[in-house]
Amino acid sequence: RLTVVGDLHGSLADLGAALDLCGRPGTKTRIIFNGDFVDRGADGAEVLAAVLALKLAFPRSVHLNRGNHEDASLSKVYDFEQGTSQVL
């Protein structure tokens, strides 16, 4: 089974809902996160960390595409850059 998840925009709730629907990544469950992990939502850094952790834990089952909101200029416009400095 293949699930495509797009436009999380910094929402841990949406990430959790997507994982609840598709299940744990593995040999029979693959997930493509189709970019726009960060900005707008309050949890951009946490969402980015979570999808990166999923990629590290399940390298053959989790795939990440960079969206336009992962661009440096858009990260500034949507305050992701400032938000990460506050988290760190």
Side-chain angles (χ1 to χ4, degrees):
R1 179 164 75 162
L2 174 65
T3 302
V4 178
V5 178
D7 294 10
L8 292 169
H9 290 293
S11 172
L12 275 175
D14 289 350
L15 175 59
L19 292 173
D20 285 344
L21 286 172
C22 66
R24 180 183 174 144
T27 56
K28 294 185 180 187
T29 303
R30 295 178 300 151
I31 304 171
I32 297 174
F33 289 99
N34 207 20
D36 294 354
F37 313 121
V38 301
D39 80 34
R40 297 183 194 162
D43 304 313
E46 294 82 355
V47 169
L48 182 58
V51 296
L52 290 172
L54 285 167
K55 176 63 178 170
L56 290 172
F58 306 98
R60 293 184 177 179
S61 302
V62 173
H63 307 280
L64 309 177
N65 291 326
R66 183 185 68 86
N68 63 322
H69 289 262
E70 282 74 52
D71 179 73
S73 62
L74 281 176
S75 291
K76 285 183 183 183
V77 169
Y78 287 105
D79 293 329
F80 176 70
E81 183 178 281
Q82 181 181 353
T84 56
S85 65
Q86 292 172 357
V87 170
L88 298 174

